């Protein structure tokens, strides 16, 4: 596990600004992330280790307990060794003390559904899937307070070079997990026109055996999980056949891999849950979900990633909401994003 740095804590303090946006009616991060990365607390045996103390912040540690106001966090050699109210948490002699009054510190956010190396600025292109652009995106995500990312499909061989380096903390930025290429459809989703990627970034098997072989290859590469696309784009594209996605799910489970499904329609969501999928990777968007679907998911312990922000982005910037002029989004917007406002 990566060690916690002072810069990471500074990044996590953006929670205060994010909270302001939530109060404005739009959450930029929370619908996409699960907050279940625990703060790392452990002893340090190095007597000469550098010690940094953050004082005055409000700390929400993710355990479900009450927030700690006016807290003190002691970090030694990149590891948290103490958290508690300032009145009862001593500051070690010689420590660097940083005033965090007015800020809120939370555990690192986990993005359950992201992609890396697809866009650079406003352009999607296969050549964007390169080391520099991916690491730049992971560093930016870490600056937003997202410390772990699941790249849910559309990953090329480079993913397997970067993942161990990021896991070991040898590279800066958010840690990276992924769902290999993912399983799409010839002439269908993921749309090559909307998301142009390299041929080695998505698998499009059209038979059951081809699908099983794709999964066996992904398992051999040690993918973290499997992704499928089940979406006809409103009837405009061919859709993954039931026998194919059923084979994918079965073969993945044989290898101990969970399967996440991109869906749009409620009927497809129900069908893939019946087939044994583990994660619904988008919210249902064609109609309200019903009690049958909810009961199915509960009975099978299926996870649900709503990706609410994804749908906001199709129109919200054109509406010019007032929160776009607040300090936080103005500061984090890329030069290209600011240019289109």
């Amino acid at each position: 596990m990566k060690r916690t740095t002072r810069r990471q804590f500074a990044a996590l303090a953006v929670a205060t600004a994010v909270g302001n946006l939530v109060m404005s009616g739009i959450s930029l991060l929370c619908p996409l992330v699960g907050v279940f990365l625990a703060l790392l607390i452990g002893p340090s045996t190095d007597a000469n280790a550098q010690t940094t103390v953050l004082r005055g912040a409000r700390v929400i540690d993710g355990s479900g307990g009450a927030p700690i106001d006016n807290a003190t966090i002691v970090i030694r050699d990149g590891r948290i060794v103490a958290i508690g109210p300032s009145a009862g948490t001593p500051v070690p002699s010689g420590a660097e003390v940083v005033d965090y009054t007015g800020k809120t510190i939370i555990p690192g956010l986990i993005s359950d559904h992201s992609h890396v190396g697809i866009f650079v600025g406003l352009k999607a292109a296969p050549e964007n899937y390169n080391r520099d652009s991916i690491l730049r995106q992971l560093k930016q995500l870490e600056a937003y307070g997202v410390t772990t990312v699941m790249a849910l499909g559309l990953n090329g061989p480079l993913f397997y070079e970067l993942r161990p380096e990021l896991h070991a903390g040898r590279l800066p930025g958010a840690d990276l997990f992924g769902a290999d290429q993912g399983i799409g459809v010839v002439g269908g989703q993921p749309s090559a026109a909307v998301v142009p990627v390299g041929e080695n970034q998505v698998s499009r098997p059209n038979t059951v055996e081809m699908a099983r072989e794709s999964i066996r290859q992904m398992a051999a590469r040690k993918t973290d999980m499997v992704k499928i696309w089940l979406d006809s784009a409103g009837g405009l594209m061919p859709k993954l056949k039931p026998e194919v996605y059923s084979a994918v799910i079965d073969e993945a489970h044989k290898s101990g891999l969970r399967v996440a499904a991109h869906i749009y329609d409620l009927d497809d969501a129900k069908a893939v849950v019946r087939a044994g999928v583990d994660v619904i990777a988008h919210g249902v968007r064609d109609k309200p979900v019903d009690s049958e679907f909810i009961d199915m998911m509960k009975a099978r312990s299926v996870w649900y990633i709503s990706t609410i922000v994804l749908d906001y982005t199709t129109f919200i910037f054109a509406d010019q909401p007032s929160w776009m002029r607040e300090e936080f989004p103005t500061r984090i917007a890329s030069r290209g994003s600011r240019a289109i406002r």
Side-chain angles (χ1 to χ4, degrees):
M1 181 180 289
K2 290 187 176 182
R3 292 183 175 184
T4 304
T5 65
R6 176 180 167 186
R7 181 168 69 85
Q8 284 177 305
F9 270 102
L12 297 188
V14 302
T16 302
V18 173
N20 290 339
L21 291 183
V22 174
M23 293 302 291
S24 300
I26 299 295
S27 170
L28 297 182
L29 294 174
C30 294
L32 294 177
V33 297
V35 188
F36 28 78
L37 179 65
L39 290 170
L40 176 62
I41 303 178
S44 173
T45 58
D46 185 356
N48 298 316
Q50 179 181 356
T51 301
T52 301
V53 174
L54 311 181
R55 297 199 72 182
R58 186 181 212 213
V59 172
I60 301 171
D61 67 8
S63 68
I68 304 172
D69 290 314
N70 189 23
T72 289
I73 300 177
V74 181
I75 307 168
R76 184 177 300 128
D77 193 24
R79 294 181 180 273
I80 301 168
V81 296
I83 301 176
S86 292
T89 308
V91 175
S93 176
E96 177 190 10
V97 179
V98 183
D99 183 11
Y100 263 45
T101 302
K103 295 180 171 61
T104 297
I105 296 175
I106 64 174
L109 300 170
I110 300 174
S111 174
D112 299 320
H113 187 162
S114 290
H115 296 282
V116 296
I118 306 300
F119 281 89
V120 171
L122 302 177
K123 180 183 177 183
E127 57 267 25
N128 293 342
Y129 200 86
N130 63 70
R131 186 181 183 92
D132 288 344
S133 66
I134 291 173
L135 291 180
R136 186 167 59 249
Q137 290 167 8
L138 293 174
K139 287 173 68 176
Q140 186 64 68
L141 284 162
E142 183 186 58
Y144 292 161
V146 179
T147 55
T148 304
V149 169
M150 169 58 76
L152 208 56
L154 306 179
N155 297 299
L158 177 60
F159 166 79
Y160 292 101
E161 298 177 23
L162 295 176
R163 183 178 63 175
E165 294 185 73
L166 288 157
H167 282 0
R170 293 193 295 267
L171 294 174
D175 201 1
L176 182 64
F177 295 79
D180 203 278
Q181 300 170 325
I183 301 293
V185 185
V186 175
Q189 298 282 25
S191 170
V194 177
V195 186
V197 296
E199 291 184 2
N200 63 0
Q201 287 180 250
V202 62
S203 176
R204 300 182 189 271
N206 56 20
T207 69
V208 166
E209 185 48 43
M210 288 175 64
R212 288 188 179 275
E213 178 58 24
S214 289
I215 299 306
R216 287 192 286 266
Q217 292 177 9
M218 293 179 192
R221 291 191 289 265
K222 306 298 184 184
T223 185
D224 295 300
M225 64 186 304
V226 171
K227 164 78 171 288
I228 63 175
W229 279 264
L230 182 59
D231 180 2
S232 68
L236 299 177
M237 291 181 168
K239 190 164 59 177
L240 199 62
K241 298 175 182 177
E243 61 269 25
V244 173
Y245 66 69
S246 295
V248 166
I249 294 169
D250 178 65
E251 195 67 37
H253 287 172
K254 287 180 180 178
S255 296
L257 295 169
R258 293 179 177 177
V259 182
H262 164 114
I263 56 86
Y264 193 99
D265 297 340
L266 178 60
D267 288 345
D268 288 335
K270 289 181 178 180
V272 79
V273 168
R274 291 189 187 99
V277 82
D278 303 285
V279 180
I280 296 295
H282 285 290
V284 171
R285 288 161 284 174
D286 69 324
K287 64 183 71 170
V289 298
D290 55 25
S291 58
E292 179 189 28
F293 179 59
I294 294 170
D295 291 343
M296 289 168 58
M297 293 186 64
K298 290 169 64 177
R300 295 166 172 83
S301 298
V302 176
W303 289 73
Y304 190 85
I305 305 173
S306 60
T307 60
I308 296 172
V309 166
L310 176 67
D311 297 292
Y312 269 125
T313 60
T314 62
F315 66 87
I316 196 65
F317 297 107
D319 291 346
Q320 299 274 315
S322 61
W323 57 260
M324 287 179 63
R325 296 183 290 277
E326 294 180 5
E327 178 185 359
F328 181 69
T330 300
R331 178 162 51 86
I332 67 173
S334 69
R335 183 175 300 174
S337 296
R338 288 199 298 269
I340 65 172
R341 287 204 264 136

